[in-house]
Amino acid sequence: METPSQSDPEKRGVLTKIVERMSRPVSAAAIDLFRISAGGLVIAYIVRLFIEYSDYTSESGLLDHELHREIFWFTKLSLIYPGSSDLYKLSLLTLAFIGGLGLLLGVRPKVGAALAWIVVVSVQRWNFAVINVDDSSITLLLWWMMFLPIGHTLTLNTLLGRSDRRREFALRINGFFVRAFFVNLFIYYLTAGLTKFGSELWREGLALFVVLNLPLARTQGFWQPEHLGWLWFGNHYTLIIEPLLPFIVLLRKGHPLKYLGAVCWVALHVVIPVTIGVPYANFTLVAALILVFHEELGEWLKRRWGTSGPGEQSLWQPARGSRRLIACYLLVLALAMQKNVPILEKAWEPAMGVLYLGGVAQEYHLFDWIDRFNWTIDHTLVVTPEGKEPFTLSGDHLFPSSVRGFIVQSYLLSMRWMRVPRPLTGEMRNSVIVRSAERLVVNHHDLLGERGQVTVESRIGRLDRTDLTGENLWPVTLMRFDYEGTVVTFDEPQIPEGVGL
Amino acid sequence: MRDRWVAVYLFLVLIQVPLYYLYGRAPLSFDLAMDSAESRLAAVSVETSEEVERSLAEIDRAEAILDGADDHSSRRARVVMARAILDWRQGQSERALEELERGREIFAETHGADSFYVAVLDLRIGEFLLNQGQPQPALEHFDKGLEPVHDHLGPNDSFYIRSIFLKVRALTFQGDLETAADLARANLVTLVTNRDEIDPHFLVSVSHTLQLLTLKGALRAPPEGYISWKEYLSPASEPD
């Protein structure tokens, strides 16, 4: 167990008081409910990685990993390396799945979290070009699982009746890391919320309309100008509510505003995945409410299923150095979120580098980037199989209809999701064009036939107040190529040799 | 083990640092050297020998890093472009043009002959030739570069708009006033709508070209309420 510094009696007093206050016991069962939610989310995320394997993690997918490791040189340190077999990569994902299962069932949950975390961080570095807030939310969850006092209740043993359930529901445990997690929530929501005020589109009430009409949104194409009124309301709801949400942790147990805050919290984080996507980030934040309501939940669980009386206090204490580590992490995290903040902005890049080094890089600038990343693109594929009539295919045959699918396409535009050093943007663009063409002919061989030509006509542009619905998008011939079997030969653009598989 | 996991974690993080240094030294040093050289070239007239030497040293250092890493990517074109700008600033026009064309070749080899950066270089070479008083070859380069740049950046991009009006100037100098006026007329609204993104000195030079076209009768006078094209294009005015 760690002890405060002996050197300065007054500081020690203040620090000790802070640590003591943060360490007041909380319901162990509430923490393990959060653990179970986290385990479920991690497993769902790993399953999604399996499903998306051929598109992104595989070396024959949309991403040229060798090129990306040259461009994003800091991603080279990963368990996954060029030439590693599919069996190896899938085995790693399987290990992560087992880790997630351990977390869910409370069987060596910290070991499971650590295992899953190492694999997830490796996969994210390997697929760096397309990672987003969903990925960093899973990393965040796994990181906190390694600190929180999990696995003392609601485990497989509880399910199998091998432990004293009544005791578990009444157990209380050191709450230091729960309250430290609240600090992380504050940084999360204040960054996500306040930075939106720097966006013209958000201030004008148009950001939500634009976001929902981008290809990354599930409901793209549904929203019309007549919906602007509702979306203006939704826009400002987000703008006002988001930075206020974390303050509900400061309200006393049972305060009516706390429950109202929870309703607003859930509303925000359920509507987003339904309309846009990014489910893991949003459901992580819904799960976080379990900890926010640890007092209410703990009391209810104890009253409903626990022992009568004051409840047992666990002897668990944080591991040596862990409180200092989390304090350093929170400080570095706060600095890493200071992009565009005068004076403090000098610290954001080094702080982000430290977080990355520690395997816990985070990004809480959520859609405040809409003024810069308001590019949209849609494709029509004209396929002319040899000796047959031409027919058209929709753009989702070329790129997946998902947030990651949109992110990949950002490298075709001036937008670019991750910063690519000039002028390597050209190499990046060519790799996306070639790999998407190769993916098309492999995945849709039955439709395309053995031989023919494909022309991809795209409409590109930006959605903003002068063009909310994409009427001013301009037409571009994105690519034209001949295919024979799975081999593609480009007429347009003229691709240099050596690009592609 | 439980009480050692933090120490183990920190150890595992710290042992990665030398590897990050190894992987990152070349690309980071290259970017730092080139960012410094490019901002120096953009900011000052590069007249003093000290400034020239410093810029050259940074560019040479960047090129040495590429040679050491056996880098054959388009990064080399960035070095060549910086040399071209330096030569241009020092009045070594022929050498500057050679460097620009070499940069274009590198982009063609690494990105493809019809790629965006090749088109950008075409427009830069066109501008260079125009400033050298060679409107005809300038126009050939503008014609090659405008469409790919439009496709990539869009009609409201300041670089594209600027290139359009450089072509207007080239056509005017060549004496093809009707084509110049048609092109100017077709893009005037876009210019005015986006003038806040465009260098005010360039707007002044455009106004001179438009004034010349008006004097020659190819273009109508500026809209009512404006006594000159300069006034019409000025960011301070609020044209229709």
Side-chain angles (χ1 to χ4, degrees):
Chain A
M1 187 171 86
E2 56 175 19
T3 56
S5 159
Q6 307 277 328
S7 55
D8 187 330
E10 277 205 14
K11 265 197 187 165
R12 189 190 65 209
V14 168
L15 263 176
T16 307
K17 279 179 192 159
I18 292 172
V19 170
E20 278 171 6
R21 189 147 176 81
M22 287 181 70
S23 302
R24 286 170 296 135
V26 301
S27 162
I31 294 176
D32 277 305
L33 270 178
F34 181 61
R35 183 206 89 227
I36 291 167
S37 310
L41 279 172
V42 168
I43 285 172
Y45 175 79
I46 302 295
V47 167
R48 190 177 85 169
L49 289 181
F50 272 111
I51 292 169
E52 291 178 338
Y53 178 85
S54 61
D55 284 338
Y56 303 108
T57 310
S58 161
E59 284 183 80
S60 55
L62 286 165
L63 307 182
D64 184 339
H65 293 282
E66 284 209 46
L67 173 67
H68 292 188
R69 282 162 61 92
E70 288 308 310
I71 293 174
F72 309 118
W73 53 268
F74 44 86
T75 62
K76 284 181 178 175
L77 277 173
S78 164
L79 291 177
I80 305 176
Y81 52 90
S84 53
S85 65
D86 288 336
L87 179 63
Y88 172 76
K89 294 190 197 71
L90 290 167
S91 300
L92 284 177
L93 290 180
T94 306
L95 272 177
F97 182 89
I98 293 169
L101 208 56
L103 196 57
L104 178 74
L105 297 174
V107 177
R108 304 299 298 268
K110 283 197 187 282
V111 172
L115 196 61
W117 175 71
I118 289 169
V119 173
V120 160
V121 168
S122 289
V123 172
Q124 287 173 10
R125 288 179 182 187
W126 180 249
N127 294 335
F128 183 77
V130 294
I131 63 165
N132 53 78
V133 68
D134 261 356
D135 304 284
S136 62
S137 297
I138 295 296
T139 312
L140 179 75
L141 264 182
L142 289 168
W143 171 255
W144 280 102
M145 286 298 111
M146 292 190 286
F147 289 90
L148 287 164
I150 56 174
H152 297 268
T153 67
L154 306 183
T155 65
L156 185 61
N157 285 336
T158 318
L159 198 63
L160 297 175
R162 290 187 199 149
S163 64
D164 185 348
R165 203 178 298 177
R166 284 166 56 82
R167 173 192 160 270
E168 286 184 4
F169 280 116
L171 186 68
R172 295 177 67 69
I173 201 161
N174 187 306
F176 180 88
F177 290 114
V178 172
R179 295 181 179 93
F181 179 73
F182 292 160
V183 176
N184 201 143
L185 281 183
F186 263 93
I187 295 170
Y188 197 119
Y189 278 106
L190 289 177
T191 306
L194 294 177
T195 52
K196 287 181 173 68
F197 284 96
S199 157
E200 261 192 68
L201 280 172
W202 276 105
R203 291 198 306 270
E204 288 172 349
L206 301 174
L208 192 57
F209 185 90
V210 171
V211 169
L212 289 172
N213 276 306
L214 292 180
L216 62 87
R218 277 195 221 282
T219 53
Q220 185 213 12
F222 171 78
W223 305 97
Q224 300 302 320
E226 53 262 34
H227 300 124
L228 259 173
W230 289 103
L231 293 178
W232 184 94
F233 171 77
N235 183 112
H236 282 79
Y237 172 87
T238 306
L239 214 51
I240 294 164
I241 287 293
E242 204 169 20
L244 295 177
L245 283 176
F247 289 93
I248 72 170
V249 313
L250 301 175
L251 296 170
R252 60 165 171 77
K253 183 179 71 175
H255 196 295
L257 274 181
K258 199 171 177 184
Y259 291 107
L260 179 64
V263 170
C264 294
W265 187 307
V266 170
L268 181 68
H269 293 301
V270 165
V271 168
I272 294 173
V274 168
T275 54
I276 300 171
V278 288
Y280 300 98
N282 285 281
F283 292 138
T284 294
L285 293 168
V286 172
L289 272 178
I290 296 172
L291 292 181
V292 172
F293 282 85
H294 68 87
E295 286 181 292
E296 292 85 350
L297 254 179
E299 203 176 272
W300 180 76
L301 288 169
K302 182 178 180 300
R303 198 170 52 238
R304 187 84 173 75
W305 288 297
T307 56
S308 53
E312 183 186 331
Q313 169 84 31
S314 169
L315 296 174
W316 180 90
Q317 290 295 324
R320 187 196 304 272
S322 58
R323 283 183 291 199
R324 278 185 202 159
L325 178 59
I326 213 68
C328 289
Y329 156 74
L330 290 170
L331 178 63
V332 172
L333 180 68
L335 289 174
M337 296 301 127
Q338 300 311 311
K339 196 173 174 181
N340 301 325
V341 174
I343 301 170
L344 288 174
E345 63 189 339
K346 292 192 199 313
W348 86 264
E349 220 162 356
M352 193 63 89
V354 170
L355 288 180
Y356 184 88
L357 195 67
V360 69
Q362 297 289 295
E363 179 56 86
Y364 299 155
H365 291 269
L366 306 178
F367 296 108
D368 64 341
W369 37 254
I370 191 62
D371 299 72
R372 287 172 291 121
F373 287 170
N374 56 344
W375 286 80
T376 186
I377 184 169
D378 75 76
H379 315 286
T380 304
L381 284 59
V382 179
V383 182
T384 312
E386 196 181 56
K388 292 185 184 167
E389 287 296 309
F391 61 92
T392 59
L393 292 174
S394 60
D396 56 9
H397 290 81
L398 194 61
F399 294 103
S401 297
S402 63
V403 171
R404 282 208 223 280
F406 174 68
I407 291 173
V408 164
Q409 293 174 77
S410 74
Y411 297 104
L412 301 172
L413 308 166
S414 294
M415 192 178 101
R416 293 179 289 279
W417 187 252
M418 293 294 185
R419 193 174 63 185
V420 176
R422 289 181 295 119
L424 299 175
T425 49
E427 281 92 332
M428 193 79 168
R429 186 171 196 268
N430 284 344
S431 79
V432 172
I433 284 177
V434 169
R435 281 171 175 267
S436 63
E438 287 167 346
R439 176 179 174 273
L440 174 76
V441 299
V442 165
N443 288 357
H444 300 286
H445 184 77
D446 293 344
L447 270 176
L448 269 57
E450 189 56 31
R451 217 175 271 113
Q453 189 182 71
V454 174
T455 304
V456 180
E457 301 290 350
S458 308
R459 292 176 69 244
I460 294 177
R462 303 181 78 155
L463 301 181
D464 55 27
R465 79 181 78 77
T466 61
D467 182 16
L468 285 173
T469 51
E471 281 159 17
N472 298 334
L473 302 187
W474 58 90
V476 163
T477 301
L478 184 68
M479 59 179 105
R480 182 181 299 116
F481 60 89
D482 296 316
Y483 61 90
E484 184 167 346
T486 56
V487 176
V488 301
T489 313
F490 278 84
D491 295 327
E492 190 179 342
Q494 295 171 37
I495 303 287
E497 273 182 35
V499 177
L501 298 170
Chain B
M1 182 61 199
R2 183 182 172 267
D3 265 349
R4 289 197 197 120
W5 81 259
V6 172
V8 169
Y9 165 75
L10 289 173
F11 172 74
L12 290 173
V13 166
L14 288 172
I15 58 167
Q16 294 176 61
V17 172
L19 288 168
Y20 279 113
Y21 174 75
L22 195 70
Y23 293 140
R25 189 175 56 175
L28 278 180
S29 305
F30 174 83
D31 283 336
L32 277 169
M34 286 310 301
D35 287 346
S36 176
E38 284 165 354
S39 59
R40 197 188 309 284
L41 289 171
V44 301
S45 61
V46 198
E47 282 177 358
T48 68
S49 58
E50 194 190 323
E51 290 296 326
V52 169
E53 273 172 31
R54 213 180 287 175
S55 300
L56 264 175
E58 283 163 346
I59 296 169
D60 286 342
R61 187 163 71 243
E63 190 160 28
I65 291 168
L66 293 183
D67 291 338
D70 195 27
D71 187 310
H72 297 289
S73 72
S74 57
R75 280 190 178 105
R76 205 165 282 275
R78 197 176 163 192
V79 171
V80 167
M81 288 296 302
R83 289 197 194 283
I85 295 170
L86 189 58
D87 290 336
W88 190 345
R89 288 284 177 81
Q90 290 192 281
Q92 296 179 28
S93 312
E94 260 187 55
R95 214 160 77 177
L97 183 61
E98 278 169 21
E99 300 278 10
L100 285 173
E101 283 172 352
R102 174 74 189 124
R104 190 186 180 284
E105 267 172 42
I106 295 173
F107 280 132
E109 283 164 15
T110 53
H111 292 180
D114 55 354
S115 64
F116 169 68
Y117 271 102
V118 167
V120 169
L121 262 287
D122 272 318
L123 296 179
R124 291 288 189 208
I125 292 169
E127 182 178 359
F128 180 85
L129 290 168
L130 184 59
N131 289 341
Q132 297 295 303
Q134 300 178 56
Q136 181 52 43
L139 279 168
E140 286 165 19
H141 282 280
F142 287 138
D143 287 340
K144 279 189 224 169
L146 278 170
E147 193 181 324
V149 166
H150 168 276
D151 284 353
H152 201 81
L153 299 178
N156 294 321
D157 180 80
S158 57
F159 177 68
Y160 173 73
I161 298 167
R162 193 173 176 281
S163 302
I164 285 279
F165 282 89
L166 284 170
K167 183 177 174 181
V168 170
R169 193 194 298 171
L171 286 165
T172 307
F173 284 179
Q174 204 189 25
D176 190 351
L177 303 183
E178 288 303 318
T179 311
D182 287 342
L183 189 60
R185 217 174 285 120
N187 291 277
L188 201 52
V189 171
T190 310
L191 174 69
V192 166
T193 310
N194 294 281
R195 63 192 167 169
D196 290 341
E197 315 290 324
I198 297 171
D199 173 24
H201 295 114
F202 182 77
L203 289 174
V204 169
S205 75
V206 170
S207 70
H208 293 154
T209 307
L210 297 180
Q211 198 70 32
L212 183 63
L213 287 170
T214 304
L215 285 172
K216 297 283 185 182
L219 196 66
R220 260 196 281 183
E224 206 178 307
Y226 298 94
I227 53 168
S228 68
W229 284 110
K230 186 177 175 183
E231 190 190 341
Y232 180 70
L233 294 179
S234 158
S237 77
E238 289 186 22
D240 299 326

